[in-house]
Amino acid sequence: KRLFMASLRLAFTLCKTVLVSLLLTSCANLNMNQNIKDAKNIESFSFRGRASISGDLIKNPGQGQLSWKQNKNEIDIILSAPLGQGQIEINYIEGTSAKLILDKQKTYYAETPDLLLQSVIGQDWPVTGLQNWVLGLPSYPSRSRVTRDFSSNQVLKIEEDGWVVEYMEWGNYKGYKLPKRFNIMRQSTK
């Protein structure tokens, strides 16, 4: 368990580099007969992704898995540490508290999943932002900076709350233009 917590702390330290490659694996409630649609209309989706951890101060780079299921205002996340050293399960319903289960044994609660991860593993991780960024959308449009490709109007980058999301690859899924791969960075974190 100590090795797992140390691994998670290592994975989320601000000195690290995290490359998150996310592949949307399924979306619910999508009508295939429409043209390219606005991702704001997607209420339910799931994806699985991989996080590669490396950087100047990382002695043991590795990879972890991320599984995300969102149904309207409910989010279920599973984060698996590198080399199968353990996992974190997070459940959050907007307007209620977030719950984190560590290795299916210990349960923690906080107001938001971001605060929960900060208090349990001691590191910042943008769960609130990620639920929109995976769709290519800013979480807070009024305080975000969005960079688009001039000719295609495709989102290239979102800057929000100190985080920078750079979109590397986009694809079509049931008529929706969605990110297939992107990097999330903050200061020396990538």
Side-chain angles (χ1 to χ4, degrees), residues 21-147:
S21 299
L22 301 174
L23 297 175
L24 289 172
T25 56
S26 68
C27 292
N29 302 325
L30 303 181
N31 182 349
M32 293 179 63
N33 297 324
Q34 295 178 357
N35 293 329
I36 300 298
K37 305 167 203 133
D38 189 352
K40 293 178 203 171
N41 297 325
I42 299 174
E43 293 181 337
S44 301
F45 61 91
S46 64
F47 66 87
R48 293 168 42 132
R50 185 173 48 184
S52 299
I53 302 158
S54 63
D56 295 340
L57 301 177
I58 301 298
K59 294 180 181 173
N60 298 311
Q63 295 182 351
Q65 297 293 319
L66 168 66
S67 174
W68 185 294
K69 292 180 185 174
Q70 184 162 332
N71 186 5
K72 297 186 181 181
N73 295 334
E74 183 173 1
I75 301 170
D76 291 302
I77 303 167
I78 298 175
L79 297 167
S80 301
L83 305 173
Q85 296 172 0
Q87 77 177 23
I88 289 178
E89 297 175 45
I90 299 170
N91 177 266
Y92 177 61
I93 301 173
E94 284 185 47
T96 68
S97 66
K99 176 173 74 173
L100 182 146
I101 302 170
L102 182 61
D103 283 334
K104 298 183 181 185
Q105 296 176 8
K106 201 162 188 180
T107 304
Y108 302 89
Y109 296 90
E111 189 177 324
T112 68
D114 303 59
L115 291 173
L116 190 56
L117 282 167
Q118 177 69 35
S119 67
V120 174
I121 66 169
Q123 299 302 321
D124 191 18
W125 203 66
V127 174
T128 305
L130 192 56
Q131 71 184 22
N132 290 294
W133 300 338
V134 298
L135 300 174
L137 302 170
S139 294
Y140 307 102
S142 63
R143 59 182 210 230
S144 300
R145 182 174 172 212
V146 179
T147 305

